Amino acid sequence: MSTGRLTIDLDAVVANWRALDAMTNCRTAAVVKANGYGLGAANVAKALFKAGVRQFFVAVAEEAVPIREELGPKPEINVFSGHMKGDTELIRDLRLTPMLNSVEQLTHHFETLPGHPFGIQLDTGMNRLGMEMQEWAAIAELALAQNPTLVMSHLACADEPDHPMNPYQLENFRKMTDGIQVPRSFAATGGILLGPAYHFDLTRPGIGLYGGLPFATATPTVELDLPIVQVRDVAEGEVVGYANAWQAERPSRIATVSGGYADGIARILSDKAILYHGDIPCPLVGRVSMDLLTIDITDLPDTPAKLTLIGPQQTVDDLAKAANTIGYEILTQLGRRYERKTYGK
Ligand SMILES: *Cc1c(COP(=O)(O)O)cnc(C)c1O
């Protein structure tokens, strides 16, 4: 096998869901957008459904197709982007629940699918999706008369517990929803960690299920091993890779491994990433190319068959830090050509 091997632990995903669920006294949904943050939406949803999850969220209606296929009619599948023009048939046929984001979406939904379940997304300050205070005030009565399944909003700074945006958005959410008889949802992973004032009736964790920050005590869910394709000795002064970007300062042993920016290993990791053999660090030298990395294994006692990029020595968030990004991006960019081994139920 000449591609990287991505090991996905669904039992860890379930354990993370249970841990997040145990932090609140309300219900806990699961966000499985972007192909389950890169891990495989159908497999993730199946494992969580077995563990008792009955409410899922996706970003766009199309993402619900493999999930509905896998789980059948029972679970609720909510769509953050709401009811967009062109989505009507999919929403009807797959019995999806759109989170309506504007008066325009609300009108379109009532006209095309009267009586079909829907929720409402409110904007409490993030200015991304959802109805604003004025808009909501104008149509709340009409919308509530049609029995929405949920009223929700999203926090912009929940990963920074002391950020004044958190209480500000909370106050807005309460102003817009206190007293209504509809279940409310406000917290994603970060919001769960902010405490009970943020929990309401349903939480919507995503990244925490997949082992990423801000859920610092999460169980890791993925490992990534890259096979060594070739090993060579390089004399002091010789160069390695595109643009001669690295020059050996001592006689070195260089391993060429399978994996590159086409697999989501960002080019910014050139000369920066560390791969591991057991607990021995092996620095990436020179440029990340499309399909290959060059790794300095001079200090290894032997030549292994593979090196580890994500594993016990280096978490998704460690790698994210080296790449100047966040764990969310590392996960959702995990390459499609890796051999995927999914364990757990
Ligand atoms: C992505 C998303 C979530 C999940 O957020 P995490 O930070 O991954 O837990 C919840 N709600 C909305 C509206 C989202 O867009």
Side-chain angles (χ1 to χ4, degrees), residues 76-149:
E76 188 179 288
I77 307 179
N78 301 288
V79 182
F80 287 134
S81 63
H83 190 150
M84 293 169 69
K85 295 245 156 74
D87 284 350
T88 304
E89 280 180 25
L90 208 49
I91 289 171
R92 184 193 60 209
D93 296 348
L94 296 188
R95 296 192 325 98
L96 310 180
T97 309
M99 300 290 116
L100 305 178
N101 287 298
S102 62
V103 172
E104 191 193 353
Q105 282 200 354
L106 186 104
T107 309
H108 182 63
H109 185 74
F110 288 178
E111 278 173 10
T112 55
L113 297 176
H116 186 100
F118 68 96
I120 299 281
Q121 183 156 199
L122 300 176
D123 188 273
T124 50
M126 188 179 186
N127 285 312
R128 191 179 66 169
L129 275 183
M131 300 184 202
E132 300 198 2
M133 187 107 51
Q134 307 271 318
E135 210 179 355
W136 176 235
I139 57 99
E141 200 180 336
L142 179 106
L144 292 169
Q146 301 295 319
N147 297 314
T149 58

Side-chain angles (χ1 to χ4, degrees), residues 31 33 37 80 121 128 152 154 188-189 204-207 328:
V31 177
K33 61 189 178 186
Y37 288 48
F80 287 134
Q121 183 156 199
R128 191 179 66 169
M152 60 160 286
H154 193 51
T189 304
R204 316 180 305 269
I207 192 69
Y328 296 74

Side-chain angles (χ1 to χ4, degrees), residues 13-44:
V13 175
V14 169
N16 288 330
W17 182 84
R18 291 210 170 105
L20 290 164
D21 183 53
M23 290 179 189
T24 72
N25 290 316
C26 66
R27 282 174 299 147
T28 306
V31 177
V32 292
K33 61 189 178 186
N35 193 28
Y37 288 48
L39 274 66
N43 285 335
V44 165

